[in-house]
Amino acid sequence: MTQVDQYKGKLGFEIRDPDALSSGSTAVVDTLEEYGHSVRQFQSRNPNLIRLDCDHYRIELRYRRHPIKPTQASAAGTDSTETPLRSSLGVTLTPNHPDHCDVELSEMLLAMILRRLVEDLDVATVDWLHVPFTLTRDAFLGVFEDAETQVETQAEAIADHATLDISPVTEIAADIADSQAAKSSAPLSPQTTPEADAPVATPIDAALDTPPPSPQPATGAKPVANGRLRGRACFEPVEVTVAQLEEHYAAMLQSPDTRTTGRHAVEARNRARARAKAVMTQPRGSGAAVARLGGLLAAMPQRMIATTSHLLRSPQLRGHLHIICGATALLALQSSAAIAF
């Protein structure tokens, strides 16, 4: 198999469409994801170039603007018409693993990408791979319409062929049924017996006489396979299970062991509450008096300091305090003979 490094296609526009690159990239991403190729990376560093990286391919979309370029476009190599092109959009499909890439599948993927672009954009011409001539928009889309028409025709032919194959079998079955009815209506002679003239059963007779199987309800029990139930048939309905659980719990609550256990639990709870209350209650008697006296003695120095500081900061005693301090200072100086009156 000849390995192809790149699969190329190009779309020509009669106008300059600045949104062709962004709209085309969206269409390409949707087409790739539709056919099972998720896009892992999207690069748009160049304003005229977008690169898409997916699992098996690298796709490049390059938009070019150029002066008016007359191009000969034809339907299938004949009846060419001159089309003036002002811009183009190139699509390049590069396999990540060329040695393990199928050429036909890659070409089909490129064809579907170009078809989506032609349907979404205002395309005038299409260049496909290395075909030596340029196709018009209608000629390119007409290829897909012809392929779809051929597929529908083949499907109808297959259906007609299946109907023709079935009709002879139906006629044979009808003939056998008529012969059986004729034999059953004819009188039996004395020499013949029903056992001797009984018709031989055939597969077609068995198929005609076998009644259709009656449908089973969806919620019913499933048949037993190898002595075991399968699927939801292994479980009872929810209502039955809830009723059984309620009866089981009621029996447990009414049992002597449960009542004894509950009584012991209540007694243990009462004892715990009594112990907690005894611990939280303040002790009384001589021990309590000693504890209160110790608390008062420990709090006295703090109270005295607080009372003194409060009095010194009181505005009513501030003037008197100054007089007392001044008199004390004069007495101290006089007693030390520093000042004589």
Side-chain angles (χ1 to χ4, degrees):
M1 180 183 297
T2 303
Q3 299 298 334
V4 181
D5 295 337
Q6 291 182 342
Y7 303 87
K8 296 182 179 180
K10 186 172 67 174
L11 308 176
F13 303 91
E14 295 182 349
I15 60 175
R16 292 181 178 178
D17 188 2
D19 298 332
L21 190 61
S22 59
S23 302
S25 61
T26 303
V28 172
V29 171
D30 294 341
T31 306
L32 291 173
E33 292 182 351
E34 182 180 355
Y35 288 95
H37 299 280
S38 59
V39 178
R40 299 177 178 177
Q41 191 173 5
F42 186 98
Q43 297 181 6
S44 180
R45 299 177 182 178
N46 192 323
N48 297 325
L49 177 64
I50 290 179
R51 293 178 179 176
L52 305 174
D53 293 339
C54 59
D55 47 3
H56 296 295
Y57 300 96
R58 297 190 306 273
I59 298 92
E60 290 187 0
L61 302 177
R62 187 181 297 273
Y63 180 75
R64 291 185 176 91
R65 292 171 294 185
H66 45 72
I68 297 176
K69 180 181 178 182
T71 303
Q72 298 293 331
S74 61
T78 58
D79 300 333
S80 61
T81 57
E82 184 174 333
T83 304
L85 302 180
R86 291 178 177 269
S87 60
S88 62
L89 179 64
V91 181
T92 303
L93 195 69
T94 305
N96 292 332
H97 309 284
D99 297 336
H100 304 280
C101 182
D102 189 89
V103 177
E104 295 182 357
L105 293 179
S106 302
E107 292 179 354
M108 292 175 60
L109 181 61
L110 179 61
M112 299 309 299
I113 291 174
L114 293 178
R115 180 187 182 184
R116 181 68 177 272
L117 292 174
V118 170
E119 293 176 349
D120 293 350
L121 304 177
D122 190 9
V123 177
T125 61
V126 179
D127 290 327
W128 165 253
L129 294 177
H130 302 288
V131 177
F133 53 87
T134 302
L135 296 174
T136 61
R137 181 180 187 275
D138 296 335
F140 182 77
L141 294 179
V143 175
F144 294 95
E145 294 176 359
D146 295 341
E148 293 175 355
T149 304
Q150 292 178 3
V151 172
E152 294 177 357
T153 305
Q154 292 178 0
E156 294 176 357
I158 293 173
D160 296 340
H161 183 67
T163 304
L164 293 175
D165 292 342
I166 295 174
S167 58
V169 178
T170 307
E171 294 176 357
I172 294 172
D175 295 340
I176 296 175
D178 294 339
S179 63
Q180 290 179 354
K183 291 181 179 180
S184 60
S185 60
L188 297 176
S189 60
Q191 290 82 8
T192 60
T193 59
E195 291 79 8
D197 295 338
V200 180
T202 61
I204 297 178
D205 297 338
L208 293 174
D209 298 336
T210 303
S214 58
Q216 296 182 357
T219 57
K222 296 184 179 180
V224 179
N226 298 328
R228 298 179 59 185
L229 296 176
R230 295 296 184 88
R232 296 185 178 180
C234 299
F235 306 96
E236 295 182 353
V238 179
E239 294 78 7
V240 177
T241 305
V242 171
Q244 293 177 356
L245 290 175
E246 291 179 352
E247 294 177 359
H248 181 65
Y249 292 152
M252 290 177 60
L253 293 175
Q254 295 299 328
S255 62
D257 297 337
T258 305
R259 289 196 298 270
T260 304
T261 305
R263 184 172 62 254
H264 291 318
V266 172
E267 294 177 356
R269 183 187 60 185
N270 294 335
R271 289 195 299 268
R273 287 182 178 178
R275 286 196 299 268
K277 187 176 181 179
V279 171
M280 297 299 295
T281 304
Q282 297 182 357
R284 297 180 180 180
S286 59
V290 173
R292 285 197 298 273
L293 180 61
L296 292 175
L297 293 177
M300 283 182 64
Q302 298 179 0
R303 293 181 180 179
M304 292 175 64
I305 295 172
T307 302
T308 303
S309 61
H310 179 71
L311 292 175
L312 293 177
R313 288 181 298 175
S314 178
Q316 290 81 6
L317 298 177
R318 188 172 299 172
H320 303 286
L321 181 62
H322 292 170
I323 295 172
I324 294 173
C325 291
T328 304
L330 290 176
L331 290 175
L333 294 174
Q334 185 180 6
S335 61
S336 62
I339 299 176
F341 291 98

